[in-house]
Structures are given as C-alpha cells and as structure tokens.
Amino acid sequence: MTLRHAVLGLLAESPGSGYDLLKRFESAMGLVWTATQSQLYGELGKLEKSSLIEVAAEGPRGRKEYAITPSGREVLRSWLLEERPVAPRRNEMLLRVYFLGEVSPEQARGFLTANAESARGLGEELARVEQAVDWDDSDASVFGRLALEWGKRYAAMEREWAEWAAEVVRSERG
Amino acid sequence: MTLRHAVLGLLAESPGSGYDLLKRFESAMGLVWTATQSQLYGELGKLEKSSLIEVAAEGPRGRKEYAITPSGREVLRSWLLEERPVAPRRNEMLLRVYFLGEVSPEQARGFLTANAESARGLGEELARVEQAVDWDDSDASVFGRLALEWGKRYAAMEREWAEWAAEVVRSERG
DNA sequence: GGGTACATGTAACTGGTTACATGATTGT
DNA sequence: ACAATCATGTAACCAGTTACATGTACCC
C-alpha cells in the first residue's frame, strides 16, 4: 500500500488530475516509484472515498482535479516517520548472477559486461537529468536532488561491481 | 514470474523438497529473492504440471523430493541469457526521501541517520556471513560470492549516501 | 508420552499489469 | 475535418502475503 502514499505525496506538492499525476510518475518519479494508469485511477477513487483527497475542481473532458485534505496530509506525515528502513529483498539481476554457473563462462562474462554497460547508461542518463533541471532551494528541489544523487551512486556502484565481477569470472573460470 | 526461475535454479544446484527449498530461500538466497511457504508449494505444483520439474523420490511424512528435468534446465538457461538487465524502479526508502519536505528538518535528518545506521548494520551482517561461509571453487561459491559482494557494496553506498544526505539537510535546512 | 521439527496444502485478500473501451477538446 | 492529446474508467489475470488447517516422524 505504498502507491497510496506516493499519490498523497504528489498531491501534497500540488493538486492535479489522474492524468497529471500519471505524467509526474513517468517523469520525475521514474527512478523512485511507478504506477500504471488503471492502478492510479483506482487508487484515486479509494483515496477520495476515505476522504484523504478531494475533488477541488472539475474541468473539460470530465477532468477532476484532486487536492490533498488535512487528514490526507496527516496520513502522509505519519507514514514518513514510521521508521522501518528496509533494504529491498528481491533483485532479479542478482538472482541471475546467483545461477550463472548454469551457462558457459563466456556467457556469464557477457551477462556481467552487459550489466556494466547498462549501469553506465543509467549513470549518464541521470547526469543529464541533473544538468537539465534547474534546481532551486524548494523542498522538492532539495529532496529530489538527494534522490537523484542516490541513483547516481547506485549506478556507479553497480557498474564498478559488474566490471570487477566480469574480471573475477575471467580469472577464475577462464 | 521470477519465482519460477528461482526454484528452477535451486533445483538445478541440487534436488530437494518444498520444505528444503524454503530453508534455502531463507538462508543463502535471503538477499536475492524471497518466497513464502504457500507461494512455494503452489509454484512447485505448477512446475511439475508443466514437466519442468519432477518428483524424483518420496519420503516420510508425504515428503516429495523434486528434481529439475532437462526441459526445466532449458528454461532456466534461456532465462539467464535473455538479456534485459533492468534497474529496479521502485524503492520505498527513496520515495520517502522524495517527500521529506513534509516533515521538519530534524525529523528528516533523523530519518536519514536511521537509514545510515541500518545500512551499516546490513554491511556488518554481510561481512559476518562472508567470514562464516567456507568458500570453495564450486559455481555456487564463486557466483554466490559475487552476489554477496554486490550486497556489501550496496550497503556501503547507501550508508555513505545517507550520511552525506543528512549533512546536506543540516547545512541547507538547519 | 510429548515436544520439536518435518511436511504439505488451501482460502481470502491485496497489489500490480495488460488489455479493452469510450469519449471530449484543441490546434492546425 | 482530423489527428493528437486529454481524460476516465472497467475486467481479467497474475504475483505475493497472511492465516488457517492438518498430520507424521523422530528424539528424549
């Protein structure tokens, strides 16, 4: 039930329609959380029913502009403070690494170097995003930059690891 | 549909019952993939029905020891090579960071330092695991070590990032 | 005899994905 | 006029979690 909080967070920043939120999920939030269109509309319905958000305005084409309510903001805050920083415990890439003994050493190295490449690509993409955005000193900027920096460090870590791992496979498996 | 491949991978290493596999998910695979008991038995049933695994032996207490079949091994291999190394696109911790402007700077720093602590704990735990296991030159050892090293680097990255981020909040938000 | 570990299974529910379906407004 | 974009919604399905349910074998 985290999509719920992602939606509340976005609406806490500024009101918007389902369509607007979908755009924001695709762009700014892409690294952090994703949502499909059908999931989003469903969640908006539920949030409205429980009065955590409300329709603040209606527009053309049936557009409903939602805004967060005080009780919604309350829920968002308590979720932010409810401390349980847990590391993700599922990683498909690592699962493959785990079983890489099933294929030839050349294929295993190929997998790892492809991974290094894709991590490099991610790092470059994030660096471009960092350049493109004009950061100010708003909360969204400050905390968005923290999240972006995490992404850059993650990408660098994975690239370096994958290069190292490919080298280990070369030296230990030929 | 990745649990399917996790199960095939484990059975490719060595045969075992549902109960055995559950143990292996809890211990060695903990960082990489998780499964609940009910999910696991369901998946074993489906895999058997599609002949990717088979009951190789039966034991006391209704124990069914499964083994991978040649077609199962085939499916595992092609999954391993089917290249699409994608970075995970959902991270609850980062989502919270994203909206940390909603709480006070002290609370935001508290969140970040707690995260640094928990990353440090994870790093230490993985270091202990590394010490405890006696690594040989089997595939399971070599590739398991690569996965473990990823975990250590991940933990170190997150700890350093969280410390840095707490400092940014201190200097930019007081 | 009794506790622990072994061992499997089902049901109800939640979260997420894909596909289908429909229609209004705006800009050219 | 017509294409693109805006805009919302529903249905079927798959993956994963929690809780319930049951029973056997082994060791002391």
Side-chain angles (χ1 to χ4, degrees), chain A residues 48-107:
Chain A
E48 200 204 337
K49 218 188 271 181
S50 48
S51 300
L52 302 181
I53 63 175
E54 63 189 0
V55 178
E58 303 202 18
R61 282 166 287 203
R63 174 188 170 92
K64 287 189 258 180
E65 195 165 88
Y66 290 100
I68 194 168
T69 63
S71 62
R73 210 172 274 269
E74 198 62 31
V75 167
L76 176 62
R77 276 208 194 107
S78 63
W79 170 74
L80 282 167
L81 295 175
E82 165 196 302
E83 273 176 60
R84 41 162 177 142
V86 270
R89 297 196 92 61
R90 269 180 196 155
N91 182 317
E92 189 171 339
M93 186 281 290
L94 273 196
L95 182 66
R96 292 184 201 221
V97 169
Y98 212 78
F99 297 129
L100 233 32
E102 281 298 309
V103 298
S104 75
E106 294 74 39
Q107 288 172 323

Short mmCIF file of all heavy atoms in Angstrom, two decimals, chain A residues 48-107:
data_model
loop_
_atom_site.label_atom_id
_atom_site.label_comp_id
_atom_site.label_asym_id
_atom_site.label_seq_id
_atom_site.Cartn_x
_atom_site.Cartn_y
_atom_site.Cartn_z
N GLU A 48 -10.33 9.08 -2.39
CA GLU A 48 -11.41 10.05 -2.27
C GLU A 48 -12.49 9.52 -1.33
O GLU A 48 -12.99 10.25 -0.47
CB GLU A 48 -12.01 10.37 -3.63
CG GLU A 48 -12.78 11.70 -3.60
CD GLU A 48 -13.85 11.79 -4.67
OE1 GLU A 48 -13.75 11.07 -5.69
OE2 GLU A 48 -14.80 12.58 -4.47
N LYS A 49 -12.80 8.24 -1.49
CA LYS A 49 -13.83 7.64 -0.66
C LYS A 49 -13.47 7.74 0.83
O LYS A 49 -14.34 7.95 1.67
CB LYS A 49 -14.06 6.17 -1.04
CG LYS A 49 -15.53 5.77 -0.98
CD LYS A 49 -15.73 4.27 -1.18
CE LYS A 49 -15.89 3.90 -2.66
NZ LYS A 49 -16.11 2.44 -2.85
N SER A 50 -12.18 7.61 1.13
CA SER A 50 -11.79 7.69 2.54
C SER A 50 -11.39 9.12 2.94
O SER A 50 -10.78 9.33 3.99
CB SER A 50 -10.68 6.69 2.85
OG SER A 50 -9.66 6.77 1.90
N SER A 51 -11.72 10.07 2.08
CA SER A 51 -11.54 11.50 2.38
C SER A 51 -10.10 11.92 2.64
O SER A 51 -9.85 12.91 3.35
CB SER A 51 -12.38 11.91 3.59
OG SER A 51 -13.73 11.67 3.32
N LEU A 52 -9.15 11.20 2.09
CA LEU A 52 -7.76 11.64 2.22
C LEU A 52 -7.41 12.63 1.12
O LEU A 52 -6.45 13.40 1.23
CB LEU A 52 -6.80 10.44 2.19
CG LEU A 52 -7.07 9.40 3.29
CD1 LEU A 52 -6.08 8.25 3.21
CD2 LEU A 52 -7.01 10.04 4.67
N ILE A 53 -8.20 12.59 0.05
CA ILE A 53 -8.11 13.61 -1.01
C ILE A 53 -9.53 14.01 -1.37
O ILE A 53 -10.49 13.33 -1.00
CB ILE A 53 -7.37 13.08 -2.27
CG1 ILE A 53 -8.14 11.91 -2.92
CG2 ILE A 53 -5.96 12.63 -1.92
CD1 ILE A 53 -7.54 11.43 -4.23
N GLU A 54 -9.65 15.12 -2.11
CA GLU A 54 -10.98 15.55 -2.54
C GLU A 54 -10.91 16.16 -3.94
O GLU A 54 -9.83 16.58 -4.37
CB GLU A 54 -11.53 16.58 -1.55
CG GLU A 54 -10.69 17.83 -1.50
CD GLU A 54 -11.06 18.80 -0.38
OE1 GLU A 54 -11.99 18.49 0.38
OE2 GLU A 54 -10.41 19.86 -0.30
N VAL A 55 -12.04 16.21 -4.62
CA VAL A 55 -12.08 16.87 -5.92
C VAL A 55 -12.18 18.35 -5.66
O VAL A 55 -13.18 18.85 -5.16
CB VAL A 55 -13.29 16.38 -6.74
CG1 VAL A 55 -13.34 17.12 -8.07
CG2 VAL A 55 -13.21 14.88 -6.98
N ALA A 56 -11.10 19.08 -6.02
CA ALA A 56 -11.04 20.50 -5.73
C ALA A 56 -11.64 21.31 -6.87
O ALA A 56 -12.13 22.41 -6.67
CB ALA A 56 -9.60 20.94 -5.51
N ALA A 57 -11.62 20.74 -8.08
CA ALA A 57 -12.17 21.45 -9.23
C ALA A 57 -12.47 20.45 -10.34
O ALA A 57 -11.84 19.39 -10.40
CB ALA A 57 -11.17 22.49 -9.73
N GLU A 58 -13.44 20.79 -11.20
CA GLU A 58 -13.69 19.94 -12.35
C GLU A 58 -13.42 20.74 -13.61
O GLU A 58 -13.58 21.97 -13.63
CB GLU A 58 -15.13 19.41 -12.31
CG GLU A 58 -15.39 18.65 -11.02
CD GLU A 58 -16.54 17.67 -11.07
OE1 GLU A 58 -16.97 17.29 -12.18
OE2 GLU A 58 -17.02 17.27 -9.99
N GLY A 59 -12.98 20.04 -14.65
CA GLY A 59 -12.62 20.74 -15.88
C GLY A 59 -13.23 20.07 -17.08
O GLY A 59 -14.08 19.20 -16.94
N PRO A 60 -12.81 20.47 -18.26
CA PRO A 60 -13.31 19.88 -19.50
C PRO A 60 -12.97 18.40 -19.60
O PRO A 60 -12.04 17.92 -18.94
CB PRO A 60 -12.59 20.68 -20.59
CG PRO A 60 -11.47 21.38 -19.91
CD PRO A 60 -11.82 21.51 -18.48
N ARG A 61 -13.72 17.66 -20.40
CA ARG A 61 -13.50 16.22 -20.63
C ARG A 61 -13.58 15.40 -19.36
O ARG A 61 -12.85 14.44 -19.18
CB ARG A 61 -12.13 16.00 -21.28
CG ARG A 61 -12.10 16.31 -22.75
CD ARG A 61 -10.69 16.40 -23.27
NE ARG A 61 -10.03 17.61 -22.82
CZ ARG A 61 -8.99 18.17 -23.43
NH1 ARG A 61 -8.50 17.63 -24.51
NH2 ARG A 61 -8.46 19.27 -22.97
N GLY A 62 -14.41 15.84 -18.45
CA GLY A 62 -14.57 15.08 -17.21
C GLY A 62 -13.38 15.16 -16.27
O GLY A 62 -13.28 14.38 -15.32
N ARG A 63 -12.49 16.10 -16.53
CA ARG A 63 -11.30 16.25 -15.70
C ARG A 63 -11.67 16.54 -14.25
O ARG A 63 -12.49 17.41 -13.96
CB ARG A 63 -10.44 17.39 -16.23
CG ARG A 63 -9.23 17.73 -15.37
CD ARG A 63 -8.55 19.00 -15.87
NE ARG A 63 -7.54 19.45 -14.92
CZ ARG A 63 -6.25 19.10 -14.98
NH1 ARG A 63 -5.84 18.29 -15.94
NH2 ARG A 63 -5.41 19.53 -14.07
N LYS A 64 -11.05 15.77 -13.33
CA LYS A 64 -11.26 16.01 -11.90
C LYS A 64 -9.93 16.36 -11.28
O LYS A 64 -9.01 15.54 -11.27
CB LYS A 64 -11.80 14.74 -11.23
CG LYS A 64 -13.24 14.44 -11.58
CD LYS A 64 -13.80 13.32 -10.71
CE LYS A 64 -13.82 12.03 -11.49
NZ LYS A 64 -14.34 10.90 -10.70
N GLU A 65 -9.82 17.55 -10.76
CA GLU A 65 -8.57 17.94 -10.13
C GLU A 65 -8.64 17.64 -8.65
O GLU A 65 -9.47 18.18 -7.93
CB GLU A 65 -8.29 19.43 -10.37
CG GLU A 65 -6.84 19.75 -10.06
CD GLU A 65 -6.43 21.09 -10.63
OE1 GLU A 65 -6.61 22.13 -9.95
OE2 GLU A 65 -5.95 21.12 -11.78
N TYR A 66 -7.75 16.76 -8.21
CA TYR A 66 -7.75 16.35 -6.81
C TYR A 66 -6.80 17.19 -5.99
O TYR A 66 -5.77 17.67 -6.47
CB TYR A 66 -7.30 14.90 -6.70
CG TYR A 66 -8.30 13.89 -7.23
CD1 TYR A 66 -8.13 13.34 -8.50
CD2 TYR A 66 -9.40 13.52 -6.47
CE1 TYR A 66 -9.05 12.41 -8.98
CE2 TYR A 66 -10.31 12.58 -6.96
CZ TYR A 66 -10.13 12.04 -8.21
OH TYR A 66 -11.02 11.12 -8.69
N ALA A 67 -7.14 17.37 -4.70
CA ALA A 67 -6.24 18.03 -3.75
C ALA A 67 -6.21 17.20 -2.48
O ALA A 67 -7.16 16.49 -2.16
CB ALA A 67 -6.75 19.44 -3.45
N ILE A 68 -5.08 17.27 -1.78
CA ILE A 68 -4.96 16.52 -0.53
C ILE A 68 -5.77 17.23 0.56
O ILE A 68 -5.88 18.45 0.57
CB ILE A 68 -3.48 16.36 -0.13
CG1 ILE A 68 -3.31 15.30 0.97
CG2 ILE A 68 -2.88 17.71 0.29
CD1 ILE A 68 -1.86 14.90 1.20
N THR A 69 -6.37 16.47 1.47
CA THR A 69 -7.11 17.05 2.59
C THR A 69 -6.19 17.05 3.82
O THR A 69 -5.15 16.39 3.82
CB THR A 69 -8.35 16.20 2.92
OG1 THR A 69 -7.91 14.90 3.33
CG2 THR A 69 -9.28 16.09 1.73
N PRO A 70 -6.58 17.76 4.87
CA PRO A 70 -5.76 17.75 6.10
C PRO A 70 -5.55 16.33 6.62
O PRO A 70 -4.42 15.99 7.01
CB PRO A 70 -6.60 18.58 7.07
CG PRO A 70 -7.34 19.53 6.21
CD PRO A 70 -7.68 18.76 4.97
N SER A 71 -6.58 15.49 6.60
CA SER A 71 -6.35 14.14 7.12
C SER A 71 -5.43 13.34 6.20
O SER A 71 -4.67 12.49 6.65
CB SER A 71 -7.67 13.40 7.36
OG SER A 71 -8.38 13.26 6.15
N GLY A 72 -5.44 13.65 4.91
CA GLY A 72 -4.52 13.01 3.99
C GLY A 72 -3.08 13.39 4.31
O GLY A 72 -2.18 12.55 4.32
N ARG A 73 -2.88 14.67 4.61
CA ARG A 73 -1.54 15.15 4.95
C ARG A 73 -1.04 14.50 6.24
O ARG A 73 0.14 14.16 6.37
CB ARG A 73 -1.57 16.68 5.10
CG ARG A 73 -0.27 17.35 4.73
CD ARG A 73 -0.41 18.87 4.72
NE ARG A 73 -0.92 19.39 3.45
CZ ARG A 73 -0.12 19.78 2.44
NH1 ARG A 73 1.19 19.68 2.55
NH2 ARG A 73 -0.64 20.26 1.32
N GLU A 74 -1.98 14.29 7.14
CA GLU A 74 -1.69 13.59 8.39
C GLU A 74 -1.17 12.17 8.12
O GLU A 74 -0.14 11.75 8.68
CB GLU A 74 -3.00 13.51 9.18
CG GLU A 74 -2.85 13.22 10.64
CD GLU A 74 -2.08 14.32 11.34
OE1 GLU A 74 -2.15 15.51 10.92
OE2 GLU A 74 -1.37 13.96 12.30
N VAL A 75 -1.89 11.47 7.28
CA VAL A 75 -1.52 10.09 6.93
C VAL A 75 -0.14 10.06 6.27
O VAL A 75 0.71 9.23 6.60
CB VAL A 75 -2.57 9.46 5.99
CG1 VAL A 75 -2.06 8.17 5.35
CG2 VAL A 75 -3.86 9.20 6.75
N LEU A 76 0.10 11.00 5.38
CA LEU A 76 1.40 11.09 4.70
C LEU A 76 2.52 11.28 5.71
O LEU A 76 3.53 10.57 5.69
CB LEU A 76 1.38 12.24 3.70
CG LEU A 76 2.69 12.55 2.97
CD1 LEU A 76 3.14 11.35 2.12
CD2 LEU A 76 2.54 13.79 2.09
N ARG A 77 2.33 12.23 6.63
CA ARG A 77 3.37 12.51 7.63
C ARG A 77 3.66 11.33 8.52
O ARG A 77 4.81 11.03 8.81
CB ARG A 77 2.91 13.66 8.54
CG ARG A 77 3.22 14.97 7.92
CD ARG A 77 3.45 16.08 8.92
NE ARG A 77 3.38 17.31 8.12
CZ ARG A 77 2.37 18.16 8.15
NH1 ARG A 77 1.39 17.99 9.02
NH2 ARG A 77 2.38 19.21 7.36
N SER A 78 2.61 10.64 8.95
CA SER A 78 2.90 9.56 9.88
C SER A 78 3.57 8.39 9.15
O SER A 78 4.42 7.72 9.71
CB SER A 78 1.67 9.13 10.67
OG SER A 78 0.72 8.64 9.78
N TRP A 79 3.26 8.24 7.87
CA TRP A 79 3.97 7.21 7.08
C TRP A 79 5.45 7.57 6.94
O TRP A 79 6.32 6.70 7.06
CB TRP A 79 3.33 7.08 5.70
CG TRP A 79 4.10 6.24 4.73
CD1 TRP A 79 4.21 4.89 4.71
CD2 TRP A 79 4.88 6.72 3.62
NE1 TRP A 79 5.01 4.49 3.66
CE2 TRP A 79 5.43 5.59 2.98
CE3 TRP A 79 5.17 7.99 3.10
CZ2 TRP A 79 6.25 5.70 1.85
CZ3 TRP A 79 5.97 8.09 1.98
CH2 TRP A 79 6.51 6.96 1.38
N LEU A 80 5.73 8.86 6.74
CA LEU A 80 7.13 9.29 6.59
C LEU A 80 7.95 9.02 7.84
O LEU A 80 9.14 8.73 7.77
CB LEU A 80 7.19 10.79 6.26
CG LEU A 80 6.87 11.16 4.82
CD1 LEU A 80 6.66 12.66 4.68
CD2 LEU A 80 7.99 10.70 3.90
N LEU A 81 7.30 9.09 9.00
CA LEU A 81 8.04 8.99 10.26
C LEU A 81 8.07 7.59 10.84
O LEU A 81 8.94 7.25 11.64
CB LEU A 81 7.48 9.98 11.27
CG LEU A 81 7.70 11.43 10.81
CD1 LEU A 81 7.04 12.39 11.76
CD2 LEU A 81 9.18 11.73 10.65
N GLU A 82 7.08 6.81 10.45
CA GLU A 82 7.01 5.40 10.86
C GLU A 82 8.30 4.70 10.37
O GLU A 82 8.43 4.32 9.23
CB GLU A 82 5.79 4.85 10.13
CG GLU A 82 5.58 3.40 10.03
CD GLU A 82 4.52 3.17 8.92
OE1 GLU A 82 3.39 3.70 9.05
OE2 GLU A 82 4.82 2.47 7.95
N GLU A 83 9.26 4.58 11.28
CA GLU A 83 10.59 4.15 10.83
C GLU A 83 10.73 2.65 10.60
O GLU A 83 10.62 1.87 11.52
CB GLU A 83 11.65 4.58 11.84
CG GLU A 83 12.16 5.98 11.58
CD GLU A 83 13.14 6.41 12.64
OE1 GLU A 83 14.17 5.71 12.78
OE2 GLU A 83 12.87 7.41 13.33
N ARG A 84 11.00 2.29 9.43
CA ARG A 84 11.39 0.92 9.12
C ARG A 84 12.15 0.89 7.80
O ARG A 84 11.65 0.45 6.80
CB ARG A 84 10.20 -0.03 9.07
CG ARG A 84 9.01 0.56 8.38
CD ARG A 84 7.97 -0.40 7.91
NE ARG A 84 6.92 0.44 7.35
CZ ARG A 84 6.23 0.13 6.28
NH1 ARG A 84 6.43 -0.97 5.65
NH2 ARG A 84 5.30 0.95 5.82
N PRO A 85 13.38 1.41 7.84
CA PRO A 85 14.16 1.46 6.61
C PRO A 85 14.64 0.04 6.27
O PRO A 85 15.53 -0.48 6.90
CB PRO A 85 15.35 2.36 6.95
CG PRO A 85 15.21 2.68 8.43
CD PRO A 85 14.15 1.81 9.00
N VAL A 86 13.96 -0.57 5.34
CA VAL A 86 14.33 -1.94 4.96
C VAL A 86 14.96 -1.98 3.58
O VAL A 86 14.50 -1.33 2.66
CB VAL A 86 13.10 -2.88 4.95
CG1 VAL A 86 12.90 -3.52 6.30
CG2 VAL A 86 11.84 -2.12 4.52
N ALA A 87 16.01 -2.76 3.46
CA ALA A 87 16.65 -2.94 2.16
C ALA A 87 15.75 -3.84 1.32
O ALA A 87 15.16 -4.78 1.85
CB ALA A 87 18.02 -3.56 2.34
N PRO A 88 15.62 -3.54 0.04
CA PRO A 88 14.83 -4.38 -0.84
C PRO A 88 15.38 -5.81 -0.83
O PRO A 88 16.58 -6.00 -0.85
CB PRO A 88 15.01 -3.75 -2.23
CG PRO A 88 15.75 -2.48 -2.04
CD PRO A 88 16.26 -2.42 -0.66
N ARG A 89 14.52 -6.80 -0.79
CA ARG A 89 14.99 -8.18 -0.69
C ARG A 89 14.68 -9.02 -1.93
O ARG A 89 14.56 -10.25 -1.85
CB ARG A 89 14.44 -8.84 0.58
CG ARG A 89 14.95 -8.16 1.86
CD ARG A 89 14.77 -8.96 3.11
NE ARG A 89 15.93 -9.78 3.46
CZ ARG A 89 17.16 -9.31 3.73
NH1 ARG A 89 17.41 -8.04 3.66
NH2 ARG A 89 18.13 -10.14 4.05
N ARG A 90 14.54 -8.32 -3.04
CA ARG A 90 14.36 -9.04 -4.30
C ARG A 90 15.07 -8.28 -5.41
O ARG A 90 14.83 -7.09 -5.59
CB ARG A 90 12.88 -9.14 -4.66
CG ARG A 90 12.27 -10.38 -4.13
CD ARG A 90 10.82 -10.51 -4.47
NE ARG A 90 10.27 -11.54 -3.59
CZ ARG A 90 9.00 -11.61 -3.25
NH1 ARG A 90 8.15 -10.73 -3.69
NH2 ARG A 90 8.60 -12.56 -2.44
N ASN A 91 15.93 -8.96 -6.12
CA ASN A 91 16.68 -8.30 -7.18
C ASN A 91 16.90 -9.33 -8.29
O ASN A 91 17.68 -10.27 -8.14
CB ASN A 91 18.00 -7.80 -6.61
CG ASN A 91 18.82 -7.05 -7.64
OD1 ASN A 91 18.93 -7.46 -8.78
ND2 ASN A 91 19.40 -5.95 -7.22
N GLU A 92 16.20 -9.13 -9.38
CA GLU A 92 16.22 -10.11 -10.45
C GLU A 92 17.62 -10.28 -11.04
O GLU A 92 18.04 -11.39 -11.35
CB GLU A 92 15.22 -9.72 -11.54
CG GLU A 92 15.06 -10.81 -12.57
CD GLU A 92 13.93 -10.56 -13.55
OE1 GLU A 92 13.00 -9.77 -13.24
OE2 GLU A 92 13.96 -11.17 -14.64
N MET A 93 18.34 -9.17 -11.17
CA MET A 93 19.69 -9.24 -11.73
C MET A 93 20.57 -10.14 -10.87
O MET A 93 21.26 -11.03 -11.37
CB MET A 93 20.24 -7.81 -11.80
CG MET A 93 21.57 -7.64 -12.48
SD MET A 93 23.02 -8.09 -11.48
CE MET A 93 23.00 -6.74 -10.26
N LEU A 94 20.51 -9.94 -9.55
CA LEU A 94 21.33 -10.74 -8.64
C LEU A 94 20.94 -12.21 -8.65
O LEU A 94 21.77 -13.09 -8.51
CB LEU A 94 21.18 -10.24 -7.21
CG LEU A 94 22.09 -9.13 -6.72
CD1 LEU A 94 22.03 -9.08 -5.20
CD2 LEU A 94 23.52 -9.32 -7.18
N LEU A 95 19.63 -12.43 -8.80
CA LEU A 95 19.16 -13.81 -8.87
C LEU A 95 19.82 -14.53 -10.05
O LEU A 95 20.24 -15.67 -9.95
CB LEU A 95 17.64 -13.84 -9.01
CG LEU A 95 17.00 -15.22 -9.04
CD1 LEU A 95 17.17 -15.94 -7.71
CD2 LEU A 95 15.52 -15.13 -9.40
N ARG A 96 19.92 -13.81 -11.15
CA ARG A 96 20.59 -14.41 -12.32
C ARG A 96 22.06 -14.67 -12.02
O ARG A 96 22.60 -15.72 -12.36
CB ARG A 96 20.46 -13.50 -13.53
CG ARG A 96 19.03 -13.41 -14.01
CD ARG A 96 18.92 -12.58 -15.28
NE ARG A 96 17.55 -12.13 -15.40
CZ ARG A 96 16.87 -12.09 -16.55
NH1 ARG A 96 17.44 -12.45 -17.67
NH2 ARG A 96 15.63 -11.68 -16.57
N VAL A 97 22.70 -13.71 -11.41
CA VAL A 97 24.12 -13.89 -11.06
C VAL A 97 24.30 -15.17 -10.26
O VAL A 97 25.21 -15.96 -10.49
CB VAL A 97 24.64 -12.69 -10.25
CG1 VAL A 97 26.01 -12.98 -9.65
CG2 VAL A 97 24.69 -11.44 -11.13
N TYR A 98 23.39 -15.34 -9.34
CA TYR A 98 23.42 -16.48 -8.44
C TYR A 98 23.48 -17.82 -9.19
O TYR A 98 24.09 -18.77 -8.71
CB TYR A 98 22.16 -16.42 -7.59
CG TYR A 98 22.34 -16.97 -6.21
CD1 TYR A 98 22.97 -16.23 -5.22
CD2 TYR A 98 21.88 -18.24 -5.90
CE1 TYR A 98 23.14 -16.74 -3.95
CE2 TYR A 98 22.04 -18.75 -4.62
CZ TYR A 98 22.68 -18.00 -3.66
OH TYR A 98 22.85 -18.51 -2.40
N PHE A 99 22.84 -17.87 -10.34
CA PHE A 99 22.76 -19.13 -11.07
C PHE A 99 23.59 -19.13 -12.35
O PHE A 99 23.42 -20.00 -13.21
CB PHE A 99 21.30 -19.44 -11.40
CG PHE A 99 20.45 -19.65 -10.17
CD1 PHE A 99 19.26 -18.96 -10.00
CD2 PHE A 99 20.86 -20.53 -9.17
CE1 PHE A 99 18.49 -19.15 -8.86
CE2 PHE A 99 20.08 -20.72 -8.02
CZ PHE A 99 18.90 -20.03 -7.87
N LEU A 100 24.50 -18.20 -12.45
CA LEU A 100 25.28 -18.03 -13.67
C LEU A 100 26.20 -19.22 -13.95
O LEU A 100 26.72 -19.35 -15.06
CB LEU A 100 26.07 -16.72 -13.58
CG LEU A 100 25.96 -15.68 -14.69
CD1 LEU A 100 24.63 -15.64 -15.37
CD2 LEU A 100 26.33 -14.31 -14.16
N GLY A 101 26.38 -20.08 -12.96
CA GLY A 101 27.14 -21.31 -13.18
C GLY A 101 26.50 -22.24 -14.20
O GLY A 101 27.16 -23.12 -14.75
N GLU A 102 25.21 -22.02 -14.47
CA GLU A 102 24.49 -22.87 -15.43
C GLU A 102 24.90 -22.62 -16.88
O GLU A 102 24.60 -23.44 -17.75
CB GLU A 102 22.98 -22.65 -15.31
CG GLU A 102 22.33 -23.38 -14.17
CD GLU A 102 22.46 -24.89 -14.29
OE1 GLU A 102 22.13 -25.44 -15.35
OE2 GLU A 102 22.91 -25.53 -13.30
N VAL A 103 25.49 -21.46 -17.15
CA VAL A 103 25.88 -21.17 -18.54
C VAL A 103 27.40 -21.12 -18.65
O VAL A 103 28.11 -21.20 -17.64
CB VAL A 103 25.24 -19.84 -19.04
CG1 VAL A 103 23.72 -19.95 -19.04
CG2 VAL A 103 25.70 -18.65 -18.20
N SER A 104 27.92 -20.99 -19.84
CA SER A 104 29.37 -21.03 -20.03
C SER A 104 30.01 -19.77 -19.44
O SER A 104 29.36 -18.73 -19.32
CB SER A 104 29.70 -21.11 -21.52
OG SER A 104 29.47 -19.84 -22.11
N PRO A 105 31.30 -19.84 -19.08
CA PRO A 105 31.98 -18.66 -18.55
C PRO A 105 31.92 -17.47 -19.49
O PRO A 105 31.76 -16.33 -19.04
CB PRO A 105 33.43 -19.14 -18.39
CG PRO A 105 33.33 -20.61 -18.22
CD PRO A 105 32.17 -21.04 -19.05
N GLU A 106 31.97 -17.73 -20.79
CA GLU A 106 31.89 -16.61 -21.75
C GLU A 106 30.53 -15.94 -21.65
O GLU A 106 30.41 -14.72 -21.66
CB GLU A 106 32.07 -17.09 -23.20
CG GLU A 106 33.45 -17.63 -23.52
CD GLU A 106 33.67 -19.02 -22.91
OE1 GLU A 106 32.72 -19.84 -22.92
OE2 GLU A 106 34.78 -19.27 -22.38
N GLN A 107 29.50 -16.77 -21.57
CA GLN A 107 28.14 -16.22 -21.47
C GLN A 107 27.96 -15.47 -20.15
O GLN A 107 27.33 -14.41 -20.11
CB GLN A 107 27.11 -17.34 -21.60
CG GLN A 107 27.02 -17.87 -23.03
CD GLN A 107 26.15 -19.10 -23.14
OE1 GLN A 107 26.15 -19.97 -22.25
NE2 GLN A 107 25.40 -19.20 -24.22
#
